[in-house]
Amino acid sequence: MPRSSKAPRAAWNSQFGFLMSAAGSAVGLGNIWKFPYIAGMNGGGFFVLFYLVCIFLVALPVMIAEIFIGQTSKSNAVHAFCQIEGRKSWWRLGGILGVLATVLIMSFYSAVGGWIFFFLHQSISNFAAFSSLDGVEKLFSQITDRFELGLAYQAVFILTSFSIVAGGVSSGIERLNKMLIPALVMIILLLLGYASQLPGFAKAWQFMFDFDLTHFSTTGMLEAVGHSFFTVSAGVGIMITYGSYLQSDAKIAPIAGVIVVVDTLIALASGMIIFSIVFSQNAAISSGPTLIFKTLPLLFSQIQMGQAVAILFFMLVTFTALTSSVSLVEVPVAYLVDKGISRNTSLGILLVVVSLLGTLCSLSFGSVSLFVWFGHTFFDWCDLLSSRVLLPVSGLLFVCFFGYKMDSHRPFEQIYRSIWVRRLMKFATCIVAPVAIIAIGMMGII
Ligand code: TRP
């Protein structure tokens, strides 16, 4: 549908700004708390190689499809399909599910974002509390059980994200990412330099990169596919939305290539940093919230320059969370703005919805089990519904629309110059990616 608002559509100031913002969305908690763990547990080097193939054959095609849909339609994740087809298109269902997913993801992401802010604060002002397992566990239960504390930090996270998006596409989102992504890379390099001096570095290398075929399984393969899809933030329309602010003549393939390379290098470097610390102290490997809010804080108290490392680490995690959350907020905002609602009103509506759902997510923890349905809390439901249902269905619709319905735009001819690359990517887009998404969707892997 044509946009009803008269104001000129927002745009990135530069292609570099788009690159930083898209990389900011892609680099998230998954790079830090999931990838290193699944890589190590599934046999290291061979898994990493297989993952690279998945990035190339599944993640990249979906990402390029989304960016192209956005760039061509200059419209939000829902209306893009109608704009391209020139009528009310049922393909917009993918966009609607994507918008829903961003709202649900933002709701539980903001709870975790609040915990991250809290731990950053503690690493600066109360580092002594990290010195025993008991102390660390108390901190974590403080933030999850004491609702007013959890909600206060969550509110700070939500308000920070919303006020950045309120600044607009180029002076809010782009400016933030142009600052935070280079800062994040600097922190990674500093921590990597530090980790390389630790006794556990060689073992971390072995864990992440040595070829150990005995630990490589079919489940591991599916995990690689699922994570490759998740790590580029595919399937929620972020790349459609961000792509719609991109100049029409920008070359998508090289930009998307750089984004996945940056994302992968950051995931690999995080793994080396985390496991060098873990193995230096002979600690047990872990992933997810346990890794970030328990294992690592305790280890920071045991290593040299621990407080500096802790502060840098939590800054890193804060930056990855913020650059991802602004992308989550922008998807529904772009949809409402294109419907003719002002940016501020759209943000206001969304703020109410996210605050309500986000509160229910936070209340899922602690002793109150008011919100448990079929054994899962509200927090779990937001996570499960978005990652197991909405993401795969939308991702599948996006990639199929691009691969099968955009013929008149000759997308492959426009994007890929070399005929061989074009053939390969056509095969990846039309066959490999859809089959892979159906497989991981049915297995509930993402
Ligand atoms: N890409 C993020 C990561 O690697 C996770 C993610 C998936 C995400 N979908 C998203 C982040 C949508 C923001 C928006 O951790």
Side-chain angles (χ1 to χ4, degrees):
M1 285 295 103
R3 305 172 54 223
S4 37
S5 60
K6 295 281 181 296
R9 191 175 173 76
W12 304 111
N13 254 330
S14 61
Q15 288 187 30
F16 179 72
F18 167 74
L19 177 70
M20 290 294 104
S21 306
S25 176
V27 176
L29 288 170
N31 298 58
I32 297 174
W33 79 20
K34 181 136 188 239
F35 175 79
Y37 180 82
I38 55 171
M41 293 307 269
N42 286 296
F46 204 74
F47 178 92
V48 174
L49 271 187
F50 184 76
Y51 172 81
L52 293 179
V53 174
C54 297
I55 285 283
F56 191 71
L57 292 182
V58 181
L60 204 55
V62 186
M63 186 170 178
I64 289 179
E66 284 198 32
I67 301 176
F68 188 82
I69 293 170
Q71 190 192 30
T72 308
S73 66
K74 292 269 171 284
S75 200
N76 65 82
V78 179
H79 295 143
F81 300 91
C82 309
Q83 191 75 269
I84 291 171
E85 292 218 298
R87 60 184 154 85
K88 227 176 168 68
S89 157
W90 72 265
W91 288 93
R92 76 183 187 289
L93 177 69
I96 295 172
L97 298 182
V99 170
L100 275 178
T102 55
V103 176
L104 293 184
I105 298 176
M106 184 59 195
S107 304
F108 71 83
Y109 213 79
S110 63
V112 181
W115 305 343
I116 294 171
F117 268 167
F118 175 73
F119 270 80
L120 174 61
H121 190 182
Q122 297 299 309
S123 64
I124 297 169
S125 64
N126 187 21
F127 186 62
F130 288 7
S131 60
S132 67
L133 186 58
D134 193 41
V136 176
E137 281 182 343
K138 269 204 189 114
L139 278 185
F140 190 61
S141 49
Q142 233 182 55
I143 190 72
T144 47
D145 293 358
R146 279 184 48 200
F147 299 138
E148 69 298 347
L149 192 70
L151 291 181
Y153 277 94
Q154 183 178 20
V156 175
F157 185 82
I158 292 180
L159 290 176
T160 311
S161 310
F162 273 72
S163 46
I164 293 159
V165 180
V169 172
S170 58
S171 24
I173 299 176
E174 180 172 357
R175 243 199 12 223
L176 172 92
N177 283 291
K178 274 187 184 160
M179 283 181 333
L180 292 197
I181 298 300
L184 185 148
V185 171
M186 287 295 296
I187 296 179
I188 289 261
L189 290 177
L190 273 175
L191 290 177
L192 201 57
Y194 173 87
S196 68
Q197 308 300 315
L198 292 175
F201 190 76
K203 200 157 169 217
W205 182 274
Q206 199 184 0
F207 184 61
M208 296 262 316
F209 298 114
D210 264 11
F211 285 67
D212 174 6
L213 271 177
T214 53
H215 285 103
F216 191 69
S217 60
T218 326
T219 324
M221 286 164 80
L222 283 171
E223 273 200 274
V225 181
H227 190 72
S228 74
F229 182 80
F230 180 81
T231 194
V232 295
S233 301
V236 289
I238 284 175
M239 296 300 161
I240 298 184
T241 309
Y242 276 9
S244 75
Y245 305 132
L246 189 58
Q247 294 81 348
S248 305
D249 58 352
K251 299 261 172 288
I252 299 180
I255 304 183
V258 175
I259 297 169
V260 297
V261 169
V262 171
D263 184 78
T264 307
L265 288 179
I266 290 182
L268 295 173
S270 305
M272 287 307 296
I273 295 166
I274 291 168
F275 290 124
S276 298
I277 297 176
V278 169
F279 290 137
S280 296
Q281 302 302 113
N282 289 319
I285 44 179
S286 57
S287 70
T290 312
L291 172 73
I292 298 209
F293 302 118
K294 287 188 185 163
T295 313
L296 284 177
L298 179 65
L299 295 179
F300 291 146
S301 72
Q302 299 166 354
I303 57 177
Q304 270 180 21
M305 296 191 291
Q307 185 168 16
V309 176
I311 295 173
L312 280 177
F313 180 78
F314 281 111
M315 276 172 67
L316 168 77
V317 183
T318 304
F319 292 174
T320 66
L322 271 180
T323 52
S324 294
S325 71
V326 293
S327 72
L328 286 168
V329 178
E330 181 59 23
V331 174
V333 166
Y335 169 64
L336 295 175
V337 167
D338 282 348
K339 267 183 141 351
I341 303 172
S342 80
R343 198 170 178 86
N344 283 341
T345 313
S346 310
L347 278 161
I349 297 171
L350 203 65
L351 182 61
V352 173
V353 177
V354 168
S355 303
L356 279 174
L357 297 179
T359 305
L360 294 180
C361 286
S362 273
L363 291 181
S364 299
F365 293 88
S367 43
V368 185
S369 49
L370 275 175
F371 304 102
V372 177
W373 295 296
F374 301 101
H376 292 293
T377 62
F378 190 81
F379 183 102
D380 292 340
W381 276 113
C382 287
D383 180 14
L384 289 174
L385 190 63
S386 50
S387 62
R388 300 266 166 98
V389 184
L390 303 176
L391 254 71
V393 176
S394 307
L396 186 63
L397 289 174
F398 296 159
V399 79
C400 288
F401 179 80
F402 172 84
Y404 294 102
K405 296 296 290 183
M406 287 190 77
D407 277 356
S408 61
H409 290 84
R410 306 181 64 76
F412 295 98
E413 286 75 2
Q414 281 199 48
I415 298 174
Y416 308 105
R417 287 235 193 91
S418 143
I419 183 137
W420 288 107
V421 177
R422 198 182 299 161
R423 282 191 184 151
L424 177 66
M425 291 313 273
K426 200 164 185 168
F427 177 66
T429 308
C430 298
I431 313 281
V432 183
V435 170
I437 297 172
I438 291 171
I440 51 178
M442 292 201 326
M443 303 288 290
I445 290 281
I446 300 180

